[in-house]
Amino acid sequence: MFSKLKSVRKVAILSVLTVAALGLTACTGGEAGTRDSDVNTVSAEVATSFDEAVANALTLSGSTEAVVGVWNGDTAYVQGFGDGVDAATRFRAAQSSQPVMCALLLSLVEEGELSLDRKITKDLTRQSGVDEVTYRQLCDQTSGLADFKKGLSDRVTNNPTRPWPEQELIAYGLAESPSPGQAKT
């Protein structure tokens, strides 16, 4: 029983990481991968459990669409959910990626791999302007970093297909940030 729970947890973590990676790729306009349609080479039992988990997540979140991908060696499960959605469907997922990434972060904290009070510059060594920002501040939105979308909405509206590199988005946020790392309360 414990082995099965461990396996389910591993699959769940891989699923969330995959969805987050796909979401972040879609957000920046990069290619989501080389596959252009749904793929299912897992057992019917595993596929059914994935389908049920995604249906439950869609219901609980009030969402109508999703793309989920899980790969393990030569087996893959990549499915689109919703009207007209398949594995190649691209989503702008910037708003949903922060809670997902914080949930993953909390898993690492629970496992003793990371501290919420760790400064992000320990891991983002080449990023300037965020010297005092911690993971805790990012997750509870008290980092002092401005929303990068401020001042960008007109540009995005006028050029919706333009890819937005992550460093450029970070730079927009930093330009509007009065004091990164000085926690807002």
Side-chain angles (χ1 to χ4, degrees):
M1 177 70 171
F2 181 70
S3 175
K4 185 172 181 169
L5 287 175
K6 204 171 184 181
S7 177
V8 169
R9 183 174 184 262
K10 181 179 177 183
V11 169
I13 289 172
L14 288 173
S15 299
V16 171
L17 285 172
T18 302
V19 171
L22 287 172
L24 291 173
T25 300
C27 178
T28 60
E31 292 300 316
T34 58
R35 300 186 191 256
D36 59 2
S37 62
D38 295 343
V39 176
N40 185 355
T41 60
V42 300
S43 71
E45 180 183 359
V46 171
T48 299
S49 67
F50 285 154
D51 292 343
E52 290 171 355
V54 172
N56 187 42
L58 288 170
T59 299
L60 291 173
S61 68
S63 301
T64 58
E65 301 171 332
V67 174
V68 175
V70 180
W71 297 267
N72 185 13
D74 293 334
T75 60
Y77 174 90
V78 186
Q79 301 290 313
F81 295 84
D83 292 337
V85 178
D86 66 15
T89 302
R90 296 173 71 159
F91 293 92
R92 294 208 174 266
Q95 295 299 320
S96 62
S97 62
Q98 189 261 352
V100 170
M101 298 313 289
C102 288
L104 293 171
L105 178 71
L106 290 173
S107 292
L108 292 173
V109 169
E110 185 176 285
E111 293 170 5
E113 300 289 324
L114 190 70
S115 166
L116 283 176
D117 296 318
R118 180 182 175 96
K119 292 183 180 174
I120 64 172
T121 52
K122 298 275 187 185
D123 303 302
L124 300 174
T125 57
R126 299 176 78 189
Q127 181 61 54
S128 61
V130 293
D131 297 334
E132 299 301 316
V133 176
T134 67
Y135 286 105
R136 179 185 310 276
Q137 291 171 327
L138 287 177
C139 285
D140 64 15
Q141 299 178 354
T142 60
S143 67
L145 293 172
D147 184 349
F148 69 87
K149 296 180 299 297
K150 183 179 181 182
L152 255 185
S153 59
D154 289 341
R155 292 179 186 151
V156 171
T157 302
N158 291 331
N159 193 0
T161 60
R162 179 187 184 268
W164 294 92
E166 293 168 8
Q167 293 299 323
E168 184 176 357
L169 297 176
I170 292 170
Y172 278 109
L174 287 171
E176 298 293 325
S177 299
S179 54
Q182 303 303 311
K184 296 178 188 176
T185 54

